[in-house]
Amino acid sequence: MRIGFITDANVSRLDWAQQNGFGSIGWNRFETSAAAPNEKDWKPFAEQFAAEAKARTIRISAIGALYRNPLDPEQSEFARSVFLRVIEVVAHIGVKTVSGFLGAVIELDRHPKGNNPIY
């Protein structure tokens, strides 16, 4: 068993993980990384981050794709693009697990001040 923690794709976090005896990480905040859907040339970043982890004997146990609500009509298209990209990335670098929020049905009104959801 490897003990790990959730972090963004940051090499300094890999150094910290290695120095403190961690054996794995969960790559979180994928949608803001250099492998996100808006990044056309994502492969070099994903390959480099995976190589940096492997060089430190740290396993990327999962990639946390998105923790917004993909069933919210205002977020669905973005969520779809993130999940499709993360599937490409895990297949490319050999990670076997993707995590994320599966969503919740939205039945709400919007607050007249600020348009915040009222559940």
Side-chain angles (χ1 to χ4, degrees), residues 53-108:
K54 186 174 183 177
R56 293 163 177 80
T57 64
I58 295 172
R59 178 184 302 147
I60 301 172
S61 59
I63 298 180
L66 187 69
Y67 288 93
R68 298 183 200 168
N69 186 359
L71 297 180
D72 178 351
E74 294 180 11
Q75 301 179 55
S76 293
E77 188 172 324
F78 176 70
R80 180 178 293 110
S81 70
V82 172
F83 280 103
L84 290 173
R85 173 58 62 83
V86 80
I87 290 167
E88 287 182 273
V89 172
V90 297
H92 188 69
I93 65 174
V95 173
K96 296 183 182 197
T97 305
V98 172
S99 60
F101 178 53
L102 53 92
V105 175
I106 300 292
E107 293 180 20
L108 57 86

